[in-house]
Amino acid sequence: MKLCFMKSISTVFIVAGIFLLMSNTLFAQEHAERLVVVTLDGMRWQEVFTGVDRDLMENHAYTRDADAMKRLYWDASAERRREQLFPFIWHVVAKQGQLLGNRLLGNDMNVSNPYHFSYPGYNEIFTGYPDTSVNSNDKIPNPNTNVLGFIQQQSGFQGRVAAFTSWDVFPYILNKWQSGIYVNADQDSLPETTPEFRLLNRLQYLTAKPLDLRPDIFTYAAAKVYMKTYHPRVVYIAFDETDDYAHAGMYDQYIKSAHAADAMIGDLWKYLQQDTFYAGKTALLITCDHGRGTGDAWRDHGADVQGSSAIWMAVMGPGIPAVGERKEHAQYEQAQIAATLAEILGYHFTAAHPIAPSLLPQLLQTDPQHAQSD
């Protein structure tokens, strides 16, 4: 695994040299003025691209009411199944943007870190650096520079970058003390500046917490009210329920949480198109921190769980060609997301540590013959 990991990273950084030669041309491309990033913790690529898993749905150890699940999400066609589970992703993003990571087509996306769990994955997403010293989920301030903090330092973005997360480790992952971005995590109180904020503060303390963290719906509501009130230019929303329900072996709840997350993202996109501050100026990127195993190993992930390095990504907005599902053989890395986020806004992400090159050059290629090959 270590040799494979080093080979993958070497390839990524060789491509960085090519990227630098192309940068003047790329920055002339259209770019977004606002950005929304959403992660679904531990959401498998299998459900994203093929919908609900029949074996897991019919296994009573994982699904309480298989008949109800079939009525909601089952179809003989994988295309129909995925549309029923993720209607926003497949009816909107797939038509207006791009999806990466359908391994059935040889379009692969993987984490580069060797651990395949949350903190290392989120570090890789936002710093572009699969730092092997980031190897636990402990509440330790991240020593690496994250792209959200980098963006916050750019003209016009100071105080305009915010993160809303269900998991309480994110203030450390994003190192809010160093990066200076606003991070509202788990049961953090919201500013009591509007009736909506005051209501959300009461509700998030009163609600039941079956997963011992803030339900994703309150994380989403907090982000949306904050956006309507303060109009930040960059927002990150981190949903968590999919991973926790999977670890609990509750496939039906994992699926329902994924469907709910898709609905919340769709609701947010609808709002973004109605608010003149965001409409026509905002890019959206959706991804996950790690994959999971298959069969009975679907509950788990980690270095010893085959398949848990496999991830996916969806993106749309200004400057992103409407290619839909990318079908060419290709290999993308999670570490490339950080530079991609900056470049979508027209910036080149720099830090004291190495950063994998942006994916934007590949996203701009609409001819599969010119796409990055295996």
Side-chain angles (χ1 to χ4, degrees), residues 248-269:
M250 301 169 72
Y251 188 71
D252 48 356
Q253 299 305 314
Y254 162 81
I255 290 297
K256 290 179 180 179
S257 291
H259 183 70
D262 178 88
M264 288 184 277
I265 300 167
D267 180 75
L268 181 61
W269 187 252

Side-chain angles (χ1 to χ4, degrees), residues 326-341:
R326 298 204 70 107
K327 298 180 179 180
E328 70 274 7
H329 280 238
Q331 176 64 62
Y332 309 109
E333 303 295 331
Q334 185 179 61
Q336 295 180 267
I337 295 175
T340 305
L341 295 175

Side-chain angles (χ1 to χ4, degrees), residues 43 78 96 108 114 210 256 266 293 305 345 363 366:
M43 186 72 236
Q96 300 179 22
D108 297 353
K256 290 179 180 179
V305 179
L345 293 170
L363 299 179
T366 57

Side-chain angles (χ1 to χ4, degrees), residues 97-98 319-328 360-371:
Q98 301 186 30
I320 306 297
V323 172
E325 182 180 13
R326 298 204 70 107
K327 298 180 179 180
E328 70 274 7
L360 196 57
Q362 290 99 298
L363 299 179
L364 294 176
Q365 294 290 349
T366 57
D367 181 356
Q369 296 302 315
H370 296 101

